[in-house]
Amino acid sequence: MTDVYLLSGFLGSGKTSLLMNLIAQLKAEGKKPAVLMNEFGSISIDSDTVANEENIPLKELLNGCICCTGSEQTEAQLQGLLEEYEHIDVILIETTGAAHPVEALDAVYSPLFAERLTIKGIVTVADSKRWLEREKLSPQIRSLFMEQIRHAHIILANKADLLTESELATVTMELGNFNENAPIIQTVNADISFSFIEETLANMKAISEKQVISGKHLPLSSKLIVFDRSVEKDRFEDWVKSLPDTVYRMKGYVPLVGAKNPYLFQYAYGMVNWLPEYVKMEPQLVVIGEGVQQLEYPG
């Protein structure tokens, strides 16, 4: 299993600085990191910074976001990393600043990698000064900025050196109130210990498994459902309709009664989509949402 960390945050927040810091630390520990970078435009700018690092496996996506519209390309790039390079310990994925975290995870939580990748969590870099001035953003952009923070597992209150002590205290308190599950770390140049991230997410994972019983959970989690028999399409869709609104995404291969191969099934925001497959894929489904660990298909 290869550990995967998703680095999220708005445009210009300091994600690439965080990425470079983590790469240096992992190399110093004797670990082999690989990087998947998403550039917003058609020219790789931030990727060139990583490319200058020696012996760093790198794949990049240009002209868009790691999201549902580019998930196939993302899967291909991840497949390339896993097949072309040996002994990768950690994959660091830097999303474009315009990526929604749920959609970014949708591409990474592919059933193709269910037994090869372990998604450790989302580390979101928040521009502290921009947070204080968020009301100046347009409603749509402000919503994206807030969503990136709301779904984080760890939040870096970055550019702390640009604020007064009073302003920084306000930012830390407001971020903590907005996302009560994620620890807030004040940083300059997104400088943080990888071991701290690793240990914090591991502890949060252990806590979340206990908290499911009481209804508490991390902002986002995933559940892998494996099918041992074919299912009736209508019955399966009825089950999907019965799921709570906190289920955001589903993607996988569902074996249908009467079909030779499992169908590719996708679900997002109440919409379902079925596509036939011409090769036999593993009958398993990845569910992404809040508090999804207890979900099981009853059929």
Side-chain angles (χ1 to χ4, degrees):
M1 298 290 286
T2 302
D3 292 342
V4 179
Y5 294 83
L6 192 74
L7 310 183
S8 178
F10 200 65
L11 298 163
S13 60
K15 293 188 302 299
T16 303
S17 295
L18 172 62
L19 176 65
M20 299 307 297
N21 289 337
L22 298 184
I23 288 174
Q25 293 178 53
L26 287 165
K27 290 177 66 177
E29 294 174 8
K31 295 181 178 179
K32 185 174 182 179
V35 175
L36 176 60
M37 295 191 73
N38 186 200
E39 300 274 18
F40 192 69
S42 59
I43 301 175
S44 58
I45 298 174
D46 293 335
S47 301
D48 292 340
T49 304
V50 178
N52 291 331
E53 289 283 325
E54 294 183 4
N55 302 319
I56 297 295
L58 170 68
K59 295 290 183 179
E60 60 183 0
L61 298 169
L62 302 177
N63 279 324
C65 297
I66 296 175
C67 61
C68 53
T69 56
S71 59
E72 291 184 1
Q73 187 181 1
T74 304
E75 290 175 5
Q77 297 291 48
L78 284 171
Q79 188 77 22
L81 284 176
L82 294 171
E83 300 299 333
E84 295 173 25
Y85 303 95
E86 296 182 354
H87 310 302
I88 293 175
D89 296 305
V90 177
I91 297 178
L92 303 171
I93 300 179
E94 180 188 336
T95 66
T96 174
H100 189 290
V102 176
E103 293 177 343
L105 275 186
D106 173 58
V108 182
Y109 273 125
S110 168
L112 297 176
F113 311 121
E115 298 177 354
R116 303 186 67 181
L117 301 179
T118 301
I119 313 299
K120 306 302 287 188
I122 303 172
V123 182
T124 296
V125 186
D127 185 326
S128 298
K129 190 171 182 61
R130 189 182 294 277
W131 172 267
L132 290 176
E133 300 174 350
R134 61 190 181 279
E135 295 303 323
K136 296 180 181 180
L137 300 171
S138 67
Q140 184 176 6
I141 296 300
R142 183 169 65 250
S143 175
L144 173 62
F145 176 56
M146 304 284 278
E147 283 291 286
Q148 291 171 340
I149 294 170
R150 186 168 77 89
H151 289 289
H153 297 121
I154 294 178
I155 299 172
L156 306 189
N158 199 34
K159 305 183 183 180
D161 55 325
L162 302 182
L163 302 182
T164 65
E165 289 187 8
S166 176
E167 289 174 330
L168 190 55
T170 297
V171 169
T172 304
M173 180 186 68
E174 290 180 351
L175 288 174
N177 290 335
F178 186 66
N179 183 339
E180 297 179 352
N181 296 292
I184 315 297
I185 315 300
Q186 299 173 2
T187 58
V188 176
N189 296 324
D191 187 10
I192 188 172
S193 165
F194 175 76
S195 61
F196 174 83
I197 293 175
E198 187 177 36
E199 292 169 8
T200 300
L201 291 175
N203 290 334
M204 292 176 73
K205 178 73 173 179
I207 292 171
S208 71
E209 290 172 352
K210 298 176 183 177
Q211 288 179 332
V212 167
I213 299 174
S214 63
K216 298 179 181 178
H217 43 73
L218 291 174
L220 285 177
S221 59
S222 70
K223 169 76 175 184
L224 179 66
I225 296 176
V226 179
F227 299 91
D228 57 6
R229 62 177 65 88
S230 297
V231 302
E232 295 284 351
K233 183 178 179 182
D234 290 344
R235 185 178 179 186
F236 181 81
E237 290 190 348
D238 287 341
W239 172 73
V240 171
K241 292 175 184 177
S242 73
L243 296 176
D245 293 338
T246 49
V247 173
Y248 301 126
R249 287 274 196 265
M250 286 189 283
K251 183 177 182 180
Y253 300 94
V254 179
L256 296 179
V257 172
K260 179 181 179 181
N261 297 316
Y263 266 58
L264 172 63
F265 174 80
Q266 297 192 62
Y267 167 91
Y269 303 110
M271 303 291 290
V272 300
N273 185 36
W274 296 92
L275 289 174
E277 280 290 334
Y278 300 101
V279 294
K280 187 173 179 61
M281 305 298 291
E282 289 296 320
Q284 52 193 21
L285 180 72
V286 177
V287 183
I288 306 172
E290 301 181 25
V292 299
Q293 290 297 322
Q294 72 275 17
L295 289 181
E296 294 286 351
Y297 178 63

